[in-house]
Amino acid sequence: MPLQRYIDAWDEIIDKWMNNQNVLSPLKVSKKLDINFMPEPYNGNPFDCSIVMINLNPGQGQPYLAWSGQNNPTSCVSLVKNQKYSGFAFHFTFLNPQSPISSPASTKWWTRRKAFLNRLLQIKGIASNKNPFAIELCALHSDRIAGINFGKYLTALRSVNPDLDPTNVIDIAIKNSDAKFGFAVGKPIYNALKSIGYTDIQIPNHHNVKNAKGNPNARQFAMVERNGAKVLCTWTSGGNSCPSAAFDSYIKQDIMPLLP
């Protein structure tokens, strides 16, 4: 099945990367992409998760120096050498504050993300004690999301191995999740999803959320769907944060009825 081929393909390519980072040179289609950091194609278990979160890329700037530290016994590289990337990723190490490789910045970022996803599940009335599955549309680190040409990256990725393609597994992972829908923050991700065949679902009362002055809020919401799998997208101009609790009633009233 596509999910297992995807997992196996990334295990193989990251194993090769351990000895030769040039194995990923075809993917460096932008000067913003950095192949010196270990790729992070996904975190979590796509076969069994609470909800699917879609990101564009792992970002950069956090203290991930250990990722390229081949002799560091607590580095991600050492862990992956012992158990393959999938063995490391399924446990979603960044959600474990006691993990030897979780930096304060990454742990804080993921903890906040999971807190919102848990709230989103509660709004939907879904009880789940599982971790989310987070997939990166671009597995390589970058210092600036806007610097990634997603189309060129996908073309290069498929030239290395079509089974590495994240776009083939998102729908399946969503259907495997307890939530049965996905979530994404950032307009670049919304645009990327549209470029791979997701189409808009009209949200009623799209602008009924107001700010403190009674004006339309800067935060935008969109719903997209492909092959029966739906993704809730949200963004603010230049922002990468999840909605505050002030949006919960809007999400419950106008968005949740559109989800499975």
Side-chain angles (χ1 to χ4, degrees):
M1 74 183 291
L3 270 183
Q4 193 60 54
R5 292 201 304 268
Y6 173 77
I7 290 165
D8 292 343
W10 273 112
D11 277 345
E12 180 180 356
I13 204 71
I14 293 177
D15 182 64
K16 291 179 179 178
W17 175 90
M18 300 291 183
N19 300 309
N20 179 14
Q21 293 175 1
N22 289 332
V23 71
L24 291 176
S25 58
L27 303 188
K28 197 171 183 180
V29 296
S30 164
K31 65 181 181 181
K32 300 295 183 182
L33 298 178
D34 193 340
I35 58 175
N36 294 316
F37 291 89
M38 191 175 75
E40 287 183 75
Y42 63 91
N43 272 290
N45 186 345
F47 297 101
D48 191 29
C49 58
S50 59
I51 189 172
V52 174
M53 182 172 184
I54 304 162
N55 301 312
L56 187 58
N57 73 306
Q60 201 176 66
Q62 297 175 342
Y64 285 144
L65 297 179
W67 289 66
S68 58
Q70 302 288 342
N71 297 319
N72 186 335
T74 61
S75 71
C76 293
V77 170
S78 297
L79 290 173
V80 172
K81 275 187 174 181
N82 293 330
Q83 60 180 355
K84 297 184 178 181
Y85 181 78
S86 56
F88 160 78
F90 272 37
H91 298 294
F92 216 142
T93 310
F94 294 128
L95 291 176
N96 178 7
Q98 284 73 48
S99 168
I101 56 86
S102 286
S103 71
S106 61
T107 300
K108 184 176 181 180
W109 194 91
W110 276 118
T111 299
R112 286 179 174 178
R113 281 293 189 272
K114 189 181 182 185
F116 175 77
L117 294 175
N118 288 343
R119 198 167 84 237
L120 196 60
L121 293 175
Q122 290 173 359
I123 294 172
K124 184 62 176 170
I126 298 170
S128 177
N129 59 1
K130 302 171 187 175
N131 280 333
F133 172 67
I135 189 166
E136 307 286 348
L137 296 179
C138 172
L140 302 186
H141 288 253
S142 78
D143 61 359
R144 190 177 180 185
I145 286 179
I148 298 174
N149 184 312
F150 184 59
K152 287 184 178 180
Y153 170 79
L154 278 183
T155 299
L157 187 72
R158 291 162 178 161
S159 73
V160 174
N161 183 341
D163 287 331
L164 298 172
D165 187 348
T167 65
N168 294 329
V169 303
I170 296 173
D171 302 345
I172 302 172
I174 287 174
K175 292 173 183 178
N176 286 343
S177 71
D178 290 344
K180 306 301 181 191
F181 66 91
F183 176 72
V185 179
K187 192 170 184 179
I189 305 174
Y190 165 75
N191 290 336
L193 291 173
K194 292 290 293 294
S195 75
I196 59 173
Y198 285 82
T199 57
D200 286 303
I201 298 175
Q202 185 65 41
I203 298 176
N205 304 317
H206 188 66
H207 298 292
N208 74 344
V209 180
K210 308 295 183 181
N211 61 21
K213 295 182 179 180
N215 299 319
N217 202 286
R219 179 168 292 279
Q220 298 292 309
F221 291 89
M223 183 85 71
V224 294
E225 178 179 21
R226 186 181 72 173
N227 299 326
K230 297 180 179 180
V231 181
L232 170 60
C233 305
T234 184
W235 63 87
T236 57
S237 179
N240 190 28
S241 61
C242 293
S244 70
F247 293 94
D248 286 2
S249 60
Y250 168 72
I251 293 173
K252 182 176 182 178
Q253 175 182 327
D254 293 312
I255 292 178
M256 286 303 170
L258 303 176
L259 293 170

